[in-house]
Amino acid sequence: QVQLVESGGGLVQAGGSLRLSCAASGGIFSNFHMGWHRQGLGKQRELVAFITRGGMTDYADSVKGRFTISRDNAKNTVYLQMNDLLPEDTAVYYCNIGSYYGGTFRPTGTWGQGTQVTISS
């Protein structure tokens, strides 16, 4: 059973930075395509970024140029570096394992518990 544990959330002012981490256990991490989703209060969950097992990345338009997803297979960890944060980035951020086919990342049933990110204006 694969488990994902996120960390690194917090409260920062607009324009600040945070780095989220997601540690995986119970599987062969290097085989996983990994993603970060977020869900703001009263909003639908949305895909923020993903990284394939081969290192290909893609981002939601709203975060391009500000967020960077990366992975360290030796540490079984995926990261989300978030810069130039905006109040609208406020959300619970979840990491997840997904499938990748035809240029599309789709999350599977394995999710972390989430970490709260709050950006003050």
Side-chain angles (χ1 to χ4, degrees):
Q1 183 88 15
V2 178
Q3 291 188 319
L4 303 174
V5 179
E6 300 97 336
S7 61
L11 171 64
V12 297
Q13 289 187 330
S17 298
L18 283 173
R19 188 176 82 153
L20 306 184
S21 300
C22 172
S25 60
I28 303 175
F29 181 76
S30 59
N31 286 347
F32 299 152
H33 306 301
M34 299 296 299
W36 285 96
H37 280 72
R38 68 185 180 186
Q39 187 166 19
L41 192 62
K43 298 181 181 179
Q44 288 191 328
R45 191 171 294 188
E46 63 173 344
L47 176 64
V48 175
F50 69 85
I51 183 167
T52 68
R53 60 189 178 195
M56 182 182 302
T57 61
D58 203 2
Y59 301 87
D61 287 343
S62 60
V63 307
K64 279 182 180 176
R66 301 189 296 120
F67 290 12
T68 303
I69 189 171
S70 62
R71 64 191 298 158
D72 185 338
N73 290 339
K75 295 183 178 180
N76 292 347
T77 301
V78 61
Y79 303 98
L80 187 68
Q81 177 67 44
M82 307 187 295
N83 298 328
D84 299 323
L85 285 160
L86 303 170
E88 48 263 47
D89 294 319
T90 295
V92 179
Y93 284 71
Y94 301 88
C95 72
N96 47 83
I97 297 172
S99 63
Y100 179 71
Y101 181 76
T104 301
F105 176 89
R106 292 184 176 85
T108 65
T110 305
W111 293 76
Q113 83 288 350
T115 186
Q116 176 70 47
V117 171
T118 304
I119 312 303
S120 63
S121 57

